[in-house]
Amino acid sequence: MDKRIEGKFQSALAFIVRGGTWLFAVWALVVVVPLTLWAGWAAHPGIAELMLQLFCVLSFTWGVVALLQFQRNLRKLGLDPQGTTRLFSGQRPSDPDELRAWQWGWQFMFAVLMVLLCIVVVLVTAWLSGK
């Protein structure tokens, strides 16, 4: 393939991915989170269920923000997928820019684990209450 066409394709693909990431973030933070909180408030669940739902929403929001920051830092570093794997397979990086990307990557992973933990707790709570 011609190098010019390949470069245009890669830049167009990068534009689509960046736009898709921002579209996901806006959709998640402007639509999903408020509608979830409104649905929880309108249904008037017990205080325990409302707190669990709030923790799920906060964990989801934490994950979206961490994902955006992680992608932003990876773009700044210009890392490809192999570079990202190298970043997480070794020790804590000493370069400040790599360290920032490494920290946001771990923040995203912890947010995903927190969302999964919240889902398990909600399911166990529903099972114990007989719903």
Side-chain angles (χ1 to χ4, degrees), residues 31-77:
V31 176
V32 173
V33 170
L35 283 178
T36 304
L37 290 175
W38 174 77
W41 185 261
H44 299 293
I47 190 70
E49 293 164 347
L50 188 61
M51 292 303 292
L52 285 173
Q53 187 176 11
L54 181 64
F55 283 132
C56 282
V57 168
L58 289 176
S59 301
F60 179 74
T61 306
W62 176 27
V64 169
V65 170
L67 177 65
L68 286 174
Q69 290 296 324
F70 178 59
Q71 288 295 327
R72 179 176 171 246
N73 285 301
L74 285 182
R75 252 192 339 265
K76 272 187 186 176
L77 290 173

Side-chain angles (χ1 to χ4, degrees), residues 84-112:
T84 305
T85 303
R86 250 184 286 112
L87 180 68
F88 285 103
S89 64
Q91 295 291 330
R92 181 182 176 132
S94 58
D95 179 45
D97 293 332
E98 287 182 355
L99 179 63
R100 193 174 304 113
W102 184 80
Q103 288 172 334
W104 278 112
W106 280 107
Q107 288 288 323
F108 175 69
M109 291 179 210
F110 290 141
V112 169

